[in-house]
Amino acid sequence: MNHNSRMDSTPFSPFLGALTMLKPSLIPCVASLVVSVGGLASTATASDLPVARHMAVSGDATVATPMIQAALTYAAFWNTGDGAFAHRALAADFTDRTLPSGRPQGVVGPLQASKAFRLAVPDLNAEVEDLVVAGDRVSVRLHFRGHFTGQFGALQGAGQTVDFQAFDLYRIADGRIAENWHLEDNLSLMQQLGLVKR
């Protein structure tokens, strides 16, 4: 995570009006992909998959469906910590374009980040607040919640509430996330963990 970034709480507002809201013809596609993704990870079920609260799609629904599937599968990874979802969602040559210092490039980076953060916040969950598809890009606004009951570096949690948002922009190629640009509200997170004074 980038520790010096602060994100706007409504990063999608300029884009939502310009895109076509979810078409009725896309609803069966999204429903079928949610069912199909549930079988991807041996430890995860269909109920583990986040569902986007708001979705906007520009263009053909059949083209958008595998892109939505990749984004929701990756969100399921952040929601559950199940690495099988990350392996399914990310391309073999996945590149993090906003790679935090110390995090390895490629699929191993998010796997290590999730594992480390779940040591601090074991009950971490992620909800997909917004999902926007345009061209070969998918934008996702994630809402993370949990409680700091574990260990973060030398700091022991005391049950503090964790509640912050993140914004991701994915480039999708062949149904997988090839590149990711991300921005987390790390100021709020550091304040909640007690690392920075409010």
Short mmCIF file of all heavy atoms in Angstrom, two decimals, residues 142-186:
data_model
loop_
_atom_site.label_atom_id
_atom_site.label_comp_id
_atom_site.label_asym_id
_atom_site.label_seq_id
_atom_site.Cartn_x
_atom_site.Cartn_y
_atom_site.Cartn_z
N LEU A 142 -13.35 -0.18 -3.82
CA LEU A 142 -13.51 -1.19 -2.77
C LEU A 142 -13.63 -0.51 -1.41
O LEU A 142 -12.95 0.50 -1.14
CB LEU A 142 -12.30 -2.12 -2.75
CG LEU A 142 -12.11 -3.02 -3.97
CD1 LEU A 142 -10.71 -3.62 -3.97
CD2 LEU A 142 -13.16 -4.12 -3.97
N HIS A 143 -14.46 -1.09 -0.54
CA HIS A 143 -14.63 -0.60 0.83
C HIS A 143 -14.18 -1.71 1.77
O HIS A 143 -14.80 -2.78 1.81
CB HIS A 143 -16.08 -0.24 1.07
CG HIS A 143 -16.31 0.54 2.31
ND1 HIS A 143 -17.48 1.19 2.57
CD2 HIS A 143 -15.52 0.77 3.40
CE1 HIS A 143 -17.41 1.79 3.75
NE2 HIS A 143 -16.23 1.54 4.27
N PHE A 144 -13.09 -1.47 2.49
CA PHE A 144 -12.53 -2.46 3.42
C PHE A 144 -12.99 -2.16 4.84
O PHE A 144 -12.98 -1.01 5.28
CB PHE A 144 -11.00 -2.41 3.38
CG PHE A 144 -10.40 -2.94 2.11
CD1 PHE A 144 -10.18 -2.11 1.02
CD2 PHE A 144 -10.06 -4.28 2.00
CE1 PHE A 144 -9.62 -2.59 -0.16
CE2 PHE A 144 -9.50 -4.78 0.82
CZ PHE A 144 -9.28 -3.93 -0.25
N ARG A 145 -13.36 -3.24 5.56
CA ARG A 145 -13.76 -3.10 6.97
C ARG A 145 -13.22 -4.28 7.77
O ARG A 145 -13.05 -5.38 7.23
CB ARG A 145 -15.28 -3.09 7.10
CG ARG A 145 -15.97 -1.88 6.51
CD ARG A 145 -17.47 -1.95 6.80
NE ARG A 145 -18.21 -0.84 6.25
CZ ARG A 145 -18.79 -0.83 5.07
NH1 ARG A 145 -18.72 -1.88 4.27
NH2 ARG A 145 -19.47 0.23 4.65
N GLY A 146 -12.99 -4.07 9.03
CA GLY A 146 -12.55 -5.13 9.93
C GLY A 146 -12.14 -4.54 11.26
O GLY A 146 -12.50 -3.40 11.59
N HIS A 147 -11.38 -5.32 12.02
CA HIS A 147 -10.93 -4.89 13.35
C HIS A 147 -9.47 -5.25 13.54
O HIS A 147 -9.06 -6.37 13.22
CB HIS A 147 -11.79 -5.53 14.45
CG HIS A 147 -13.23 -5.15 14.35
ND1 HIS A 147 -14.12 -5.86 13.58
CD2 HIS A 147 -13.91 -4.12 14.90
CE1 HIS A 147 -15.31 -5.28 13.66
NE2 HIS A 147 -15.21 -4.22 14.46
N PHE A 148 -8.71 -4.30 14.05
CA PHE A 148 -7.29 -4.49 14.27
C PHE A 148 -7.09 -5.25 15.58
O PHE A 148 -6.94 -4.69 16.65
CB PHE A 148 -6.60 -3.12 14.32
CG PHE A 148 -5.12 -3.15 14.54
CD1 PHE A 148 -4.34 -4.24 14.17
CD2 PHE A 148 -4.48 -2.06 15.12
CE1 PHE A 148 -2.97 -4.26 14.38
CE2 PHE A 148 -3.12 -2.06 15.33
CZ PHE A 148 -2.36 -3.16 14.97
N THR A 149 -7.10 -6.57 15.46
CA THR A 149 -6.93 -7.44 16.64
C THR A 149 -5.61 -8.19 16.62
O THR A 149 -5.27 -8.86 17.59
CB THR A 149 -8.09 -8.46 16.72
OG1 THR A 149 -8.11 -9.22 15.50
CG2 THR A 149 -9.43 -7.76 16.92
N GLY A 150 -4.90 -8.10 15.51
CA GLY A 150 -3.64 -8.84 15.36
C GLY A 150 -2.43 -7.95 15.49
O GLY A 150 -2.46 -6.94 16.20
N GLN A 151 -1.39 -8.31 14.76
CA GLN A 151 -0.10 -7.63 14.83
C GLN A 151 0.19 -6.90 13.53
O GLN A 151 0.05 -7.47 12.44
CB GLN A 151 0.99 -8.68 15.08
CG GLN A 151 2.32 -8.11 15.52
CD GLN A 151 2.39 -7.86 17.02
OE1 GLN A 151 1.58 -8.39 17.78
NE2 GLN A 151 3.35 -7.06 17.43
N PHE A 152 0.61 -5.64 13.62
CA PHE A 152 1.03 -4.86 12.47
C PHE A 152 2.42 -4.33 12.77
O PHE A 152 2.58 -3.37 13.52
CB PHE A 152 0.06 -3.71 12.19
CG PHE A 152 0.32 -2.97 10.90
CD1 PHE A 152 -0.10 -3.50 9.69
CD2 PHE A 152 1.00 -1.76 10.90
CE1 PHE A 152 0.14 -2.82 8.50
CE2 PHE A 152 1.24 -1.08 9.71
CZ PHE A 152 0.81 -1.62 8.51
N GLY A 153 3.44 -4.98 12.23
CA GLY A 153 4.82 -4.65 12.61
C GLY A 153 5.00 -4.95 14.08
O GLY A 153 4.72 -6.04 14.55
N ALA A 154 5.44 -3.94 14.84
CA ALA A 154 5.63 -4.10 16.29
C ALA A 154 4.38 -3.74 17.08
O ALA A 154 4.36 -3.87 18.30
CB ALA A 154 6.81 -3.24 16.74
N LEU A 155 3.34 -3.31 16.37
CA LEU A 155 2.14 -2.81 17.04
C LEU A 155 1.10 -3.91 17.19
O LEU A 155 0.75 -4.59 16.22
CB LEU A 155 1.56 -1.64 16.23
CG LEU A 155 0.45 -0.82 16.86
CD1 LEU A 155 0.93 -0.13 18.13
CD2 LEU A 155 -0.04 0.22 15.86
N GLN A 156 0.58 -4.08 18.41
CA GLN A 156 -0.48 -5.05 18.69
C GLN A 156 -1.82 -4.33 18.69
O GLN A 156 -1.98 -3.30 19.37
CB GLN A 156 -0.26 -5.72 20.04
CG GLN A 156 -1.39 -6.64 20.49
CD GLN A 156 -1.63 -7.82 19.54
OE1 GLN A 156 -0.69 -8.51 19.18
NE2 GLN A 156 -2.88 -8.03 19.15
N GLY A 157 -2.77 -4.84 17.94
CA GLY A 157 -4.09 -4.23 17.89
C GLY A 157 -4.87 -4.46 19.18
O GLY A 157 -4.62 -5.40 19.93
N ALA A 158 -5.86 -3.57 19.39
CA ALA A 158 -6.72 -3.66 20.56
C ALA A 158 -8.18 -3.66 20.14
O ALA A 158 -9.05 -3.22 20.88
CB ALA A 158 -6.43 -2.50 21.51
N GLY A 159 -8.44 -4.14 18.92
CA GLY A 159 -9.82 -4.24 18.45
C GLY A 159 -10.33 -2.99 17.75
O GLY A 159 -11.53 -2.88 17.50
N GLN A 160 -9.42 -2.06 17.40
CA GLN A 160 -9.85 -0.84 16.73
C GLN A 160 -10.57 -1.17 15.41
O GLN A 160 -10.19 -2.09 14.70
CB GLN A 160 -8.65 0.07 16.40
CG GLN A 160 -7.83 0.51 17.57
CD GLN A 160 -6.58 -0.35 17.75
OE1 GLN A 160 -6.68 -1.57 17.83
NE2 GLN A 160 -5.42 0.29 17.83
N THR A 161 -11.58 -0.37 15.11
CA THR A 161 -12.30 -0.53 13.85
C THR A 161 -11.42 -0.04 12.69
O THR A 161 -10.81 1.02 12.78
CB THR A 161 -13.61 0.28 13.87
OG1 THR A 161 -14.46 -0.27 14.88
CG2 THR A 161 -14.32 0.23 12.53
N VAL A 162 -11.38 -0.83 11.64
CA VAL A 162 -10.69 -0.47 10.41
C VAL A 162 -11.76 -0.27 9.34
O VAL A 162 -12.60 -1.14 9.14
CB VAL A 162 -9.69 -1.58 9.99
CG1 VAL A 162 -9.18 -1.34 8.58
CG2 VAL A 162 -8.54 -1.67 10.99
N ASP A 163 -11.73 0.88 8.68
CA ASP A 163 -12.75 1.23 7.69
C ASP A 163 -12.13 2.22 6.72
O ASP A 163 -11.95 3.39 7.04
CB ASP A 163 -13.97 1.84 8.39
CG ASP A 163 -15.15 2.05 7.47
OD1 ASP A 163 -14.94 2.28 6.26
OD2 ASP A 163 -16.29 1.99 7.96
N PHE A 164 -11.75 1.74 5.53
CA PHE A 164 -11.13 2.62 4.55
C PHE A 164 -11.50 2.15 3.14
O PHE A 164 -12.03 1.06 2.96
CB PHE A 164 -9.60 2.66 4.72
CG PHE A 164 -8.89 1.38 4.35
CD1 PHE A 164 -8.26 1.24 3.12
CD2 PHE A 164 -8.83 0.32 5.23
CE1 PHE A 164 -7.61 0.06 2.77
CE2 PHE A 164 -8.18 -0.86 4.91
CZ PHE A 164 -7.56 -0.98 3.67
N GLN A 165 -11.22 3.01 2.16
CA GLN A 165 -11.56 2.71 0.78
C GLN A 165 -10.33 2.64 -0.09
O GLN A 165 -9.27 3.18 0.26
CB GLN A 165 -12.51 3.78 0.25
CG GLN A 165 -13.85 3.78 0.98
CD GLN A 165 -14.80 4.79 0.41
OE1 GLN A 165 -15.08 4.76 -0.79
NE2 GLN A 165 -15.32 5.67 1.24
N ALA A 166 -10.47 1.98 -1.22
CA ALA A 166 -9.39 1.88 -2.20
C ALA A 166 -10.00 1.99 -3.59
O ALA A 166 -11.15 1.60 -3.82
CB ALA A 166 -8.65 0.56 -2.06
N PHE A 167 -9.22 2.52 -4.51
CA PHE A 167 -9.64 2.66 -5.90
C PHE A 167 -8.64 1.91 -6.77
O PHE A 167 -7.44 2.10 -6.64
CB PHE A 167 -9.69 4.14 -6.29
CG PHE A 167 -9.91 4.36 -7.76
CD1 PHE A 167 -11.17 4.25 -8.30
CD2 PHE A 167 -8.85 4.67 -8.60
CE1 PHE A 167 -11.37 4.46 -9.67
CE2 PHE A 167 -9.03 4.87 -9.96
CZ PHE A 167 -10.30 4.76 -10.49
N ASP A 168 -9.12 1.03 -7.62
CA ASP A 168 -8.28 0.27 -8.55
C ASP A 168 -8.71 0.53 -9.98
O ASP A 168 -9.91 0.64 -10.26
CB ASP A 168 -8.39 -1.24 -8.29
CG ASP A 168 -7.60 -1.71 -7.09
OD1 ASP A 168 -7.22 -0.87 -6.26
OD2 ASP A 168 -7.35 -2.92 -6.99
N LEU A 169 -7.74 0.60 -10.87
CA LEU A 169 -8.00 0.66 -12.30
C LEU A 169 -7.25 -0.50 -12.93
O LEU A 169 -6.02 -0.61 -12.79
CB LEU A 169 -7.50 1.98 -12.90
CG LEU A 169 -7.60 2.11 -14.42
CD1 LEU A 169 -9.07 2.07 -14.87
CD2 LEU A 169 -6.94 3.40 -14.90
N TYR A 170 -7.97 -1.41 -13.57
CA TYR A 170 -7.38 -2.60 -14.19
C TYR A 170 -7.39 -2.48 -15.70
O TYR A 170 -8.36 -2.00 -16.28
CB TYR A 170 -8.19 -3.87 -13.84
CG TYR A 170 -8.49 -4.07 -12.38
CD1 TYR A 170 -9.78 -4.44 -11.98
CD2 TYR A 170 -7.52 -3.91 -11.41
CE1 TYR A 170 -10.08 -4.65 -10.64
CE2 TYR A 170 -7.81 -4.10 -10.07
CZ TYR A 170 -9.09 -4.47 -9.69
OH TYR A 170 -9.38 -4.67 -8.37
N ARG A 171 -6.32 -2.98 -16.33
CA ARG A 171 -6.36 -3.23 -17.77
C ARG A 171 -6.53 -4.73 -17.93
O ARG A 171 -5.75 -5.51 -17.38
CB ARG A 171 -5.08 -2.78 -18.48
CG ARG A 171 -5.14 -3.02 -20.00
CD ARG A 171 -3.90 -2.58 -20.72
NE ARG A 171 -2.73 -3.38 -20.37
CZ ARG A 171 -2.43 -4.57 -20.90
NH1 ARG A 171 -3.24 -5.13 -21.79
NH2 ARG A 171 -1.34 -5.21 -20.53
N ILE A 172 -7.56 -5.12 -18.65
CA ILE A 172 -7.89 -6.53 -18.81
C ILE A 172 -7.41 -7.01 -20.18
O ILE A 172 -7.61 -6.34 -21.19
CB ILE A 172 -9.42 -6.76 -18.71
CG1 ILE A 172 -9.99 -6.10 -17.45
CG2 ILE A 172 -9.73 -8.25 -18.75
CD1 ILE A 172 -9.54 -6.68 -16.14
N ALA A 173 -6.76 -8.16 -20.18
CA ALA A 173 -6.33 -8.79 -21.44
C ALA A 173 -6.62 -10.28 -21.34
O ALA A 173 -6.24 -10.93 -20.35
CB ALA A 173 -4.84 -8.56 -21.68
N ASP A 174 -7.34 -10.82 -22.32
CA ASP A 174 -7.68 -12.25 -22.34
C ASP A 174 -8.38 -12.69 -21.06
O ASP A 174 -8.11 -13.77 -20.52
CB ASP A 174 -6.43 -13.10 -22.58
CG ASP A 174 -5.76 -12.78 -23.91
OD1 ASP A 174 -6.51 -12.55 -24.89
OD2 ASP A 174 -4.52 -12.75 -23.96
N GLY A 175 -9.27 -11.84 -20.53
CA GLY A 175 -10.08 -12.20 -19.38
C GLY A 175 -9.36 -12.14 -18.04
O GLY A 175 -9.91 -12.59 -17.03
N ARG A 176 -8.15 -11.58 -18.01
CA ARG A 176 -7.42 -11.48 -16.75
C ARG A 176 -6.86 -10.07 -16.57
O ARG A 176 -6.66 -9.33 -17.54
CB ARG A 176 -6.28 -12.49 -16.70
CG ARG A 176 -6.82 -13.91 -16.70
CD ARG A 176 -5.77 -14.88 -16.27
NE ARG A 176 -6.34 -16.22 -16.24
CZ ARG A 176 -5.86 -17.19 -15.51
NH1 ARG A 176 -4.81 -17.01 -14.74
NH2 ARG A 176 -6.42 -18.39 -15.54
N ILE A 177 -6.58 -9.72 -15.33
CA ILE A 177 -6.03 -8.40 -15.03
C ILE A 177 -4.54 -8.42 -15.38
O ILE A 177 -3.75 -9.13 -14.75
CB ILE A 177 -6.24 -8.04 -13.56
CG1 ILE A 177 -7.74 -7.99 -13.24
CG2 ILE A 177 -5.56 -6.71 -13.23
CD1 ILE A 177 -8.07 -7.88 -11.77
N ALA A 178 -4.18 -7.62 -16.39
CA ALA A 178 -2.78 -7.56 -16.83
C ALA A 178 -2.01 -6.46 -16.12
O ALA A 178 -0.82 -6.61 -15.83
CB ALA A 178 -2.73 -7.32 -18.34
N GLU A 179 -2.70 -5.34 -15.84
CA GLU A 179 -2.07 -4.21 -15.15
C GLU A 179 -3.05 -3.64 -14.14
O GLU A 179 -4.26 -3.68 -14.34
CB GLU A 179 -1.69 -3.11 -16.13
CG GLU A 179 -0.65 -3.49 -17.16
CD GLU A 179 -0.38 -2.35 -18.12
OE1 GLU A 179 -1.14 -2.23 -19.10
OE2 GLU A 179 0.58 -1.59 -17.87
N ASN A 180 -2.49 -3.08 -13.06
CA ASN A 180 -3.31 -2.47 -12.02
C ASN A 180 -2.66 -1.17 -11.57
O ASN A 180 -1.46 -1.13 -11.33
CB ASN A 180 -3.44 -3.43 -10.83
CG ASN A 180 -4.33 -2.89 -9.73
OD1 ASN A 180 -5.10 -1.96 -9.93
ND2 ASN A 180 -4.22 -3.47 -8.55
N TRP A 181 -3.47 -0.12 -11.48
CA TRP A 181 -3.08 1.13 -10.85
C TRP A 181 -4.01 1.25 -9.64
O TRP A 181 -5.23 1.14 -9.78
CB TRP A 181 -3.31 2.31 -11.78
CG TRP A 181 -2.44 2.33 -13.00
CD1 TRP A 181 -1.30 3.05 -13.18
CD2 TRP A 181 -2.66 1.62 -14.23
NE1 TRP A 181 -0.79 2.82 -14.44
CE2 TRP A 181 -1.60 1.94 -15.11
CE3 TRP A 181 -3.63 0.71 -14.68
CZ2 TRP A 181 -1.49 1.42 -16.39
CZ3 TRP A 181 -3.52 0.18 -15.96
CH2 TRP A 181 -2.47 0.54 -16.79
N HIS A 182 -3.47 1.48 -8.45
CA HIS A 182 -4.34 1.50 -7.26
C HIS A 182 -3.95 2.64 -6.33
O HIS A 182 -2.82 3.10 -6.32
CB HIS A 182 -4.28 0.15 -6.53
CG HIS A 182 -2.90 -0.29 -6.17
ND1 HIS A 182 -2.31 -0.03 -4.96
CD2 HIS A 182 -1.99 -0.99 -6.88
CE1 HIS A 182 -1.09 -0.55 -4.93
NE2 HIS A 182 -0.86 -1.13 -6.10
N LEU A 183 -4.94 3.06 -5.55
CA LEU A 183 -4.77 4.14 -4.60
C LEU A 183 -5.62 3.82 -3.39
O LEU A 183 -6.83 3.59 -3.52
CB LEU A 183 -5.21 5.46 -5.25
CG LEU A 183 -5.06 6.73 -4.44
CD1 LEU A 183 -3.57 7.02 -4.18
CD2 LEU A 183 -5.70 7.90 -5.18
N GLU A 184 -4.99 3.76 -2.22
CA GLU A 184 -5.70 3.46 -0.98
C GLU A 184 -5.76 4.70 -0.10
O GLU A 184 -4.87 5.55 -0.16
CB GLU A 184 -5.00 2.32 -0.21
CG GLU A 184 -5.01 1.00 -0.93
CD GLU A 184 -3.89 0.85 -1.96
OE1 GLU A 184 -2.87 1.57 -1.86
OE2 GLU A 184 -4.05 0.02 -2.87
N ASP A 185 -6.76 4.77 0.74
CA ASP A 185 -6.87 5.85 1.72
C ASP A 185 -6.02 5.46 2.93
O ASP A 185 -6.53 5.12 3.99
CB ASP A 185 -8.33 6.08 2.10
CG ASP A 185 -8.50 7.24 3.07
OD1 ASP A 185 -7.49 7.88 3.42
OD2 ASP A 185 -9.64 7.50 3.49
N ASN A 186 -4.71 5.53 2.76
CA ASN A 186 -3.80 5.08 3.81
C ASN A 186 -3.72 6.03 4.99
O ASN A 186 -3.38 5.60 6.09
CB ASN A 186 -2.41 4.83 3.23
CG ASN A 186 -2.38 3.55 2.45
OD1 ASN A 186 -2.77 2.50 2.93
ND2 ASN A 186 -1.94 3.62 1.20
#
